[in-house]
Amino acid sequence: MSRSKSRKPRRKRPERAGDVFLRFEGAEDVRVRLPGITTAEYGRVRDLAQAGRIHDPLVMRFVRAFADVVGRIDGQAVDLEDWSDAETIGFLRWLDFVPADEWTALDDVELTQLAGGAS
């Protein structure tokens, strides 16, 4: 008599910090791991970028995590002390966090910056 054992369903791994890897177009061998950023937070940063909320603490934490990694790669620490809104916007655009072919709230923020803060 054979008894069949049923398998327990696989448990889903809890999301841990550092599970986000960025790949860059044209640089197939470059993969950047962002310690301290989860995949859910990465998605939230994308949403915040599209909503134009560049001052959200999560966006700045993401920028710091990226700057720390870049600093370790090239040996030069990235100074975020004087980091401007324009640099944040450029960084988020560089990572393609906002669609290039449609207007988003980030475009509104950038337009306000170009107009000298006038609304």
Side-chain angles (χ1 to χ4, degrees):
M1 238 193 274
S2 148
R3 291 191 301 181
S4 65
K5 291 184 177 181
S6 64
R7 298 184 88 183
K8 291 182 185 178
R10 284 191 172 175
R11 291 187 326 183
K12 188 175 179 181
R13 279 187 177 180
E15 194 170 80
R16 296 181 319 257
D19 288 340
V20 173
F21 290 88
L22 301 178
R23 289 180 186 256
F24 295 93
E25 190 174 312
E28 294 177 23
D29 58 338
V30 175
R31 217 171 90 146
V32 177
R33 179 177 178 264
L34 295 181
I37 302 293
T38 65
T39 53
E41 290 170 330
Y42 174 79
R44 180 77 179 125
V45 169
R46 291 182 68 95
D47 293 342
L48 290 166
Q50 291 179 11
R53 296 184 48 202
I54 62 172
H55 297 287
D56 189 278
L58 181 58
V59 172
M60 293 318 297
R61 200 173 99 217
F62 179 84
V63 169
R64 268 188 230 94
F66 193 89
D68 288 346
V69 169
V70 170
R72 275 186 256 127
I73 290 171
D74 75 0
Q76 298 280 333
V78 177
D79 183 18
L80 294 177
E81 178 120 359
D82 296 322
W83 189 262
S84 70
D85 289 350
E87 289 169 314
T88 302
I89 291 168
F91 174 72
L92 296 170
R93 286 195 185 286
W94 179 66
L95 290 176
D96 290 328
F97 277 18
V98 291
D101 58 348
E102 71 181 65
W103 193 269
T104 66
L106 188 64
D107 295 298
D108 291 334
V109 172
E110 187 172 30
L111 185 60
T112 301
Q113 293 293 317
L114 291 172
S119 52

